[in-house]
């Protein structure tokens, strides 16, 4: 009855025993490290996920609407997915046996799908796709991608919650997959468009980082290499051909790189975790086939939950305060119209 109902709800959202960090003291530990460190580490995942979504609808949303969206989305979408996948025994997807070492479902599919929904609900930027809209400063783009690459070691290796063999292998897997995806994207672009670009290789690197994220704790070096190549190729197709075909304006390819890369990685995690392929080994009684099925379930739940909830949140905010800036504000630029400051004094 009641007791069972509460237990089932807890598998989705957890309890309130830690609300406002109740009971977090200097002495309290989580997985043998200070709980303060663990909580702060989790906060980095919690903020990067909404930050990714912003890239999909850049230059169109009112700042007030963005703040409401982030606060509500984090609470009702991010936190439950993170709980289901990572909370340990009692979490819905954890109990299914979903493998997601550092956030393929929780961060990347979650953000990528929400970004696509936001881009669709808001509509295209003025002048898209006829006006060229390259990055305003390619040098900054490359610096940012480089910082992501280095920072991602903290994300993936840090998810071992120890400085041990698992962390070491996660770091190596991350490096191999990212390099492989960067090169694969570069050669794909060279073949398809006649020339390689630094924007391309940087985007390919991010695709590799995304795809190895769920697998980094279980894959071996060769598994990481194959995951990287797959991500570079599939994300390139998603961000060029598929995006053009459907015509949605996902400014920074959040869907094409993060959702698609996250799906590629989440599924291949189930393959390359197998010991025969150099992985850490599957759970007792699991085969590659059964693990793939579980990974697919995890992907599907994340896709459906974030798509439906994100759509509802956006529609409610639009109805209450409006999502989109006026055409004049968009033309003027949001730095001036929304914040009364200039990104650049030229």
């Amino acid at each position: 009855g009641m007791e069972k109902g509460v237990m089932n709800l807890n598998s989705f959202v957890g309890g309130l025993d830690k609300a406002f960090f109740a009971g977090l003291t200097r002495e309290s530990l989580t997985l043998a490290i200070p709980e303060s460190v663990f909580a702060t580490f989790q906060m980095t995942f919690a903020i990067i996920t909404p930050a990714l979504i912003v890239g999909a609808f850049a230059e169109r949303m009112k700042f007030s609407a963005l703040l409401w969206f982030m606060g509500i989305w984090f609470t009702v979408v991010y936190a439950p997915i993170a709980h289901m996948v990572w909370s340990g025994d009692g979490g819905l997807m954890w109990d299914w046996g979903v493998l997601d070492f550092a956030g393929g479902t929780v961060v990347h599919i979650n953000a990528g799908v929400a970004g696509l929904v936001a881009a669709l609900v808001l509509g295209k930027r003025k002048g898209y796709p006829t006006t060229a809209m390259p990055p305003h400063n390619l040098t900054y783009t490359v610096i940012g991608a480089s910082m992501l690459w280095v920072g991602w070691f903290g994300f993936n290796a840090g998810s071992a919650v120890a400085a041990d063999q698992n962390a070491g292998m996660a770091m190596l897997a991350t490096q191999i997959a990212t390099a492989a995806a960067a090169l694969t994207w570069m050669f794909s672009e060279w073949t398809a468009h006649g020339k390689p670009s630094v924007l391309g290789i940087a985007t390919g690197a991010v695709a590799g980082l995304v795809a190895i994220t769920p697998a980094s704790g279980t894959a071996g070096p060769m598994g990481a290499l194959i995951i990287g190549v797959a991500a570079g190729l599939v994300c390139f197709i998603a961000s060029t051909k598929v995006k053009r075909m459907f015509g949605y304006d996902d400014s920074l390819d959040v869907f094409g790189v993060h959702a698609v890369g996250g799906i590629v990685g989440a599924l291949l995690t189930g393959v390359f975790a197998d010991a025969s392929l150099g992985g850490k080994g599957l759970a007792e009684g699991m085969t590659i086939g059964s693990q793939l099925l579980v990974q697919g379930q995890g992907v599907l739940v994340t896709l459906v939950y974030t798509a439906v909830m994100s759509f509802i949140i956006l529609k409610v905010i639009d109805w209450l305060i409006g999502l989109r800036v006026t055409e004049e504000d968009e033309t003027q630029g949001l730095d001036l119209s929304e914040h009364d400051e200039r990104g650049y004094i030229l």
Side-chain angles (χ1 to χ4, degrees):
M2 185 66 191
E3 187 71 9
K4 192 145 175 52
V6 171
M7 284 307 293
N8 289 347
L9 182 64
N10 283 4
S11 74
F12 287 99
V13 295
L16 291 172
D17 50 324
K18 293 281 180 189
F20 294 97
F21 285 133
L24 193 152
T25 64
R26 280 176 175 73
E27 284 70 44
S28 55
L29 299 176
T30 300
L31 301 171
I33 67 163
E35 191 173 17
S36 54
V37 176
F38 185 74
T40 310
F41 182 58
Q42 287 304 322
M43 285 160 70
T44 63
F45 291 79
I47 191 54
I48 199 72
T49 312
L52 286 173
I53 302 172
V54 178
F57 58 73
E59 308 185 322
R60 283 165 279 178
M61 194 185 279
K62 285 171 16 186
F63 187 63
S64 54
L66 180 142
L67 292 176
W68 278 108
F69 177 70
M70 290 308 155
I72 298 166
W73 190 91
F74 162 76
T75 308
V76 304
V77 182
Y78 177 83
I81 295 279
H83 175 80
M84 286 187 255
V85 176
W86 282 340
S87 64
D89 295 338
L92 186 73
M93 292 194 246
W94 178 283
D95 288 348
W96 290 350
V98 171
L99 298 174
D100 183 357
F101 194 64
T105 51
V106 178
V107 176
H108 299 289
I109 297 173
N110 207 0
V113 172
L116 178 64
V117 171
L120 291 171
V121 170
L122 275 153
K124 305 172 173 78
R125 285 169 293 177
K126 210 178 137 227
Y128 183 89
T130 46
T131 312
M133 295 177 177
H136 70 277
N137 186 324
L138 203 49
T139 310
Y140 283 177
T141 303
V142 175
I143 293 169
S146 307
M147 289 167 73
L148 268 180
W149 192 326
V150 176
W152 222 290
F153 291 128
F155 226 55
N156 286 4
S159 290
V161 200
D164 60 8
Q165 292 97 324
N166 285 333
M169 186 60 95
M171 179 178 71
L172 178 63
T174 300
Q175 180 64 18
I176 291 170
T178 305
L183 288 171
T184 302
W185 188 298
M186 184 185 82
F187 287 120
S188 302
E189 183 181 43
W190 207 336
T191 306
H193 302 153
K195 288 187 178 142
S197 73
V198 74
L199 180 63
I201 199 168
T203 314
V206 178
L209 288 163
V210 167
I212 198 60
T213 291
S216 55
T218 47
M222 278 308 295
L225 185 73
I226 297 166
I227 288 171
V229 171
L233 187 61
V234 177
C235 293
F236 173 75
I237 294 165
S239 302
T240 53
K241 289 184 170 50
V242 175
K243 183 163 85 161
R244 265 205 303 278
M245 195 162 79
F246 289 103
Y248 53 85
D249 180 12
D250 171 0
S251 317
L252 302 186
D253 292 311
V254 183
F255 180 76
V257 172
H258 293 272
V260 173
I263 292 166
V264 168
L267 295 176
L268 291 182
T269 296
V271 177
F272 292 107
D274 194 68
S276 68
L277 298 174
K280 196 177 175 184
L282 294 167
E284 212 179 324
M286 289 298 255
T287 62
I288 290 178
S290 63
Q291 187 65 53
L292 254 175
L293 208 62
V294 170
Q295 296 302 103
Q297 273 175 271
V299 167
L300 213 60
V301 168
T302 308
L303 280 172
V304 172
Y305 187 74
T306 186
V308 172
M309 295 303 289
S310 302
F311 182 76
I312 294 169
I313 296 165
L314 287 159
K315 283 297 189 188
V316 170
I317 295 171
D318 196 23
W319 176 62
L320 288 171
I321 62 168
L323 285 173
R324 193 162 173 152
V325 296
T326 64
E327 205 171 301
E328 300 84 84
D329 285 355
E330 193 182 332
T331 304
Q332 188 185 23
L334 302 193
D335 52 349
L336 277 167
S337 63
E338 288 282 282
H339 308 287
D340 198 22
E341 58 190 357
R342 285 179 184 272
Y344 295 88
I345 308 295
L346 290 173

